[in-house]
Amino acid sequence: MGERELFAITASEEGWSDTTQIDLLLDYIENQDSIDAFADFLAERRAHVPTASLYTDPADAFLWEVAELLQHAGLTQNPEFQTFCATIFDTMTAEQAADFWRMRDGD
């Protein structure tokens, strides 16, 4: 059994929400020994897997696309940004949303 399968089984048995699963994985990542190894891992994933294909929910892909256009992946964890993207999803392009967010922030 691999790590992914172990995590999926444990999450299912424990009834963890998506938010709990994400928080747990982020805590795990933060407690790894090598930030350089993690940065290399992220760079490799970006090079071989288009970001939008990592997400099955189009609204999630939209949120990540807007964050990438803003060059600020950390926004994906910002509740205000999440609400902003959820509200305008299907009404604006990602480029329009990024421009609107910049104007809103005064950037």
Side-chain angles (χ1 to χ4, degrees):
M1 171 184 328
E3 291 91 351
R4 184 183 296 228
E5 188 178 359
L6 174 61
F7 185 80
I9 289 169
T10 303
S12 177
E13 288 174 351
E14 296 294 322
W16 293 340
S17 69
D18 288 344
T19 301
T20 299
Q21 293 176 50
I22 291 167
D23 287 344
L24 180 81
L25 290 171
L26 289 174
D27 285 345
Y28 175 76
I29 290 166
E30 288 175 358
N31 287 295
Q32 298 303 301
D33 291 333
S34 174
I35 190 72
D36 293 332
F38 185 62
D40 290 344
F41 165 78
L42 290 177
E44 183 178 326
R45 291 294 290 181
R46 283 185 175 149
H48 294 100
V49 180
T51 301
S53 71
L54 295 174
Y55 309 97
T56 56
D57 182 352
D60 283 344
F62 178 78
L63 176 130
W64 278 93
E65 186 176 357
V66 175
E68 284 182 5
L69 289 167
L70 294 168
Q71 298 179 344
H72 194 312
L75 282 172
T76 60
Q77 300 301 311
N78 178 321
E80 185 178 358
F81 183 74
Q82 292 170 352
T83 301
F84 167 78
C85 287
T87 302
I88 62 167
F89 174 67
D90 274 344
T91 63
M92 291 184 182
T93 67
E95 291 81 7
Q96 291 169 329
D99 288 343
F100 192 77
W101 183 263
R102 281 187 200 103
M103 289 187 301
R104 201 179 141 285
D105 263 0
D107 290 342

